[in-house]
Amino acid sequence: MSHRDLLALLTVGTAAAFIVAFGHIVTADGLDWLDAGMILLHAVLTLWLVHGLWLAIAGFCVVASRRLRERFGDQRAAEPLHVRRQRRSTSSARTAITIPVYNEDAVRVFSGIRAMLESIDATGHGDEFDIFVLSDTRDGDLWLREEAEWAALRAVDSPRARLFYRRRLRNVGRKSGNIKDFLERWGGNYEYMIVFDADSIMSGETLVELVRRMNDAPGVGLIQVPPQPTRGETLFARLQEFACSVYGPLCSAGLSWLARGDGNFWGHNAIIRVRAFVENCDLPHLPGRAPLGGEILSHDFVEAALMRRAGWELRMADDLGGSWEETPPTIIDFAKRDRRWCQGNLQHFRLLFARFMHPSSRYYFGTGVMAYASSLAWMSFLLVGGYEIVRRSLTEPVYFQGDSSQPIWPVSVEHEAVALLTLTLCVLFVPKILGLILVLIDPHRRRAQGGAIRVTLSVLIESIYSALIAPVMMMFHASFVLSVLIGGSVGWGTQRRGVGGTALGEAIQAHWLHTLIGVVAGVGVYVLAPDVFWWTLPIVLGLVLSIPLTLLSSSTRIGLALRRAGFLLAEEEGAPSPVLARLEHILRQREKQSQEPMDFPRAIADERMASIHAGLVRAYGEEADVDPTALEAIESKLRTEGPGALTGQERVTILQNAGAFEQLHRSWAEAVAKMKPAASLDPAA
């Protein structure tokens, strides 16, 4: 029996026992269409939950056995990466690190790049990597800041000049189109590319190890490294980081155990063989209109499926650390990101039955759909259950039927219901307990995450919070699914990163309906079926408290206070990675400098910046045409009102044409020169 057959057998067998028990409870007084609907919804949800349980158990066994080998047996498993690399192939290959950006914080992006460059240099393999910042930024001032940061870092790294910047004229195909443009222009120069998000960061050792693993396995097209969230300061972000630090290794190890060579791509923090990607990953457009048709939004799963269909192996390196990303700072930001992901994942339903797809790809498409559709199933289950409560409360019980003189007493299934609920809670909480066990039995992780007492209390805090917020996320996700199904589509917005807060008005706007539903449902259940009220309290309480929960969890003060007290610590916080420590140091230095950010008025007045910008636009080889009449009007406005008076669209129009930008730079210099001697090139003059 294969490992996949074993997982399927355990999942189906366990779920069947739950479904039979639930069926016995709901049909104790007969079966009708409502009961049948509840059994069907319960079956779907149970299969989904039990599948996650057994995957976590498999991951626990993998990680625990790995820890035991490191501690008692296999000395090689405990060796650091640089020692293990000596036992592997020593061949090198040219590798491009690609970082697509879209209206991001340029200081954070290039500070992360600088930390990674230094970390790569420390491995002695710096000459094997080039970094490409691939900009799709549409805001003119943010575009100029990217160029200024690139130029400053390039000057520091000038001996090898391995940092490149490109801003596309036309934003075609979003992130996947950005990567495609890179491959068409420069992909032939590289054996591999490592794809990042704007907030991704990876240690030099992990980057080098990924290349070596690819060199040692020519049949592998992709290796995905699970990223750990980092740098969160709000309570919500810290809860996410802690959860991923404690429970994430189980999930990653379980998926790796299940996948073997049939892994998946998560869109970033992965190394890809360029030839495998170029030959197979030209994404099609789905028939029909958005949201379920047109351009594929969640391109990563589809790209992985296309490579696997062509015979390339896809692996997950769950044993590698040194891979990080940043998480949204608030519940509302998290939900906005999920809205985009929901639409992309639901598109995958149309690919479930596509021809020639590998079974593993169908599995990933299906689980991606269920990640959001399960919320709609859960909400439907609660609605059907609520209707059943109302119906029974308004219906007089019938003790005598027909001419029978013998009463028919209601059948009590209270004990069975309590037992089933207890087992369901075990399914939900066993993965958390297993994750905690892995931390407690590892002395290094236990110390790094605050010690046994603090990490145990942190798991309790996270479990209570996740239980309260679960019905809120259910409502969000269910509404997202319904929105997509009725034709609602989303644009391509910039994800808010770093610290943030949620204003009271924003929280009310996002959660007023959740609060209202919670109050109405709670009062209704208490009045109609008071015995059931306590069973529904966790769901009702989460909805009623959704506004204060959002406000509290968006607090940076609470998040940092808990960190100082040693609670909700990720492993990297107790034992900081050098590359993360260096990133924080660079960012603190930038804050102390209090340097004014680059923008259009400063760039148009600065000879060096004007030269840098014009050179980059010409180097890309695509410039937007500027209507002479429009250029003349913009130039006149510049000379009479100053560069600060130009609108955002006027700035972008000029920035997209090197000649026009240079013309306005000269024109502004001439205008300033004609002013009184006290005037300067300061754009405020």
Side-chain angles (χ1 to χ4, degrees), residues 223-413:
I223 301 176
Q224 174 70 59
V225 187
Q228 164 69 31
T230 189
R231 299 192 69 246
E233 296 187 353
T234 64
L235 175 59
F236 177 79
R238 299 203 49 72
L239 285 160
Q240 296 297 309
E241 286 183 23
F242 176 78
C244 288
S245 179
V246 176
Y247 322 134
L250 273 72
C251 300
S252 299
L255 283 172
S256 181
W257 170 82
L258 177 66
R260 307 292 170 91
D262 302 326
N264 201 11
F265 179 33
W266 296 354
H268 55 91
N269 292 53
I271 186 170
I272 301 172
R273 195 176 299 273
V274 169
R275 182 168 67 88
F277 193 91
V278 169
E279 291 177 354
N280 300 287
C281 295
D282 189 9
L283 293 179
H285 273 60
L286 295 175
R289 296 181 179 179
L292 294 177
E295 187 178 29
I296 294 176
L297 297 185
S298 294
H299 55 91
D300 40 13
F301 281 32
V302 181
E303 289 160 347
L306 294 173
M307 280 192 283
R308 190 69 193 96
R309 185 174 69 174
W312 292 96
E313 285 188 39
L314 312 175
R315 296 181 181 175
M316 178 177 289
D318 68 289
D319 61 321
L320 282 182
S323 173
W324 300 275
E325 64 176 344
E326 294 179 18
T327 191
T330 70
I331 295 173
I332 295 175
D333 292 309
F334 190 85
K336 288 177 180 178
R337 186 187 70 175
D338 268 10
R339 175 60 182 87
R340 298 192 300 271
W341 287 5
C342 174
Q343 181 174 331
N345 283 20
L346 291 182
Q347 285 182 320
H348 294 167
F349 183 79
R350 302 184 63 180
L351 301 172
L352 265 173
F353 310 103
R355 297 175 61 192
F356 308 121
M357 285 293 180
H358 193 276
S360 64
S361 301
R362 301 186 197 278
Y363 166 79
Y364 295 124
F365 288 149
T367 54
V369 171
M370 277 300 296
Y372 297 96
S374 60
S375 291
L376 183 59
W378 182 19
M379 188 177 73
S380 301
F381 180 80
L382 294 176
L383 289 174
V384 174
Y387 176 78
E388 178 71 3
I389 291 173
V390 173
R391 188 183 71 165
R392 292 196 177 197
S393 66
L394 299 178
T395 303
E396 291 290 336
V398 178
Y399 297 105
F400 298 94
Q401 292 186 357
D403 298 329
S404 175
S405 60
Q406 297 295 323
I408 301 175
W409 301 108
V411 179
S412 175
V413 290

Side-chain angles (χ1 to χ4, degrees), residues 111-179:
S111 296
I113 292 172
R114 181 175 179 181
M116 280 193 293
L117 283 170
E118 294 174 3
S119 181
I120 295 169
D121 281 342
T123 68
H125 293 268
D127 290 335
E128 299 171 16
F129 294 88
D130 291 335
I131 296 182
F132 287 79
V133 178
L134 308 174
S135 177
D136 266 329
T137 294
R138 302 295 102 181
D139 182 282
D141 289 341
L142 294 180
W143 175 7
L144 288 166
R145 286 170 202 167
E146 291 170 0
E147 292 180 339
E149 293 294 328
W150 167 82
L153 184 51
R154 174 98 173 198
V156 173
D157 196 52
S158 58
R160 280 178 294 279
R162 54 191 168 160
L163 175 63
F164 304 93
Y165 174 87
R166 182 276 282 138
R167 189 261 188 189
R168 282 198 298 173
L169 178 62
R170 295 176 180 83
N171 189 334
V172 178
R174 310 192 191 201
K175 180 179 176 180
S176 60
N178 201 350
I179 295 294

Side-chain angles (χ1 to χ4, degrees), residues 442-501:
D442 186 327
H444 172 77
R445 291 186 66 193
R446 187 174 64 245
R447 287 192 300 270
Q449 297 194 246
I453 294 176
R454 286 189 178 91
V455 75
T456 302
L457 290 175
S458 295
V459 168
L460 181 62
I461 293 170
E462 190 280 330
S463 298
I464 294 172
Y465 176 82
S466 63
L468 289 173
I469 207 66
V472 178
M473 296 310 300
M474 173 199 70
M475 297 293 292
F476 271 132
H477 288 171
S479 66
F480 297 161
V481 173
L482 291 173
S483 173
V484 171
L485 293 178
I486 64 176
S489 187
V490 292
W492 188 18
T494 303
Q495 178 179 312
R496 187 161 69 126
R497 312 184 195 273
V499 298

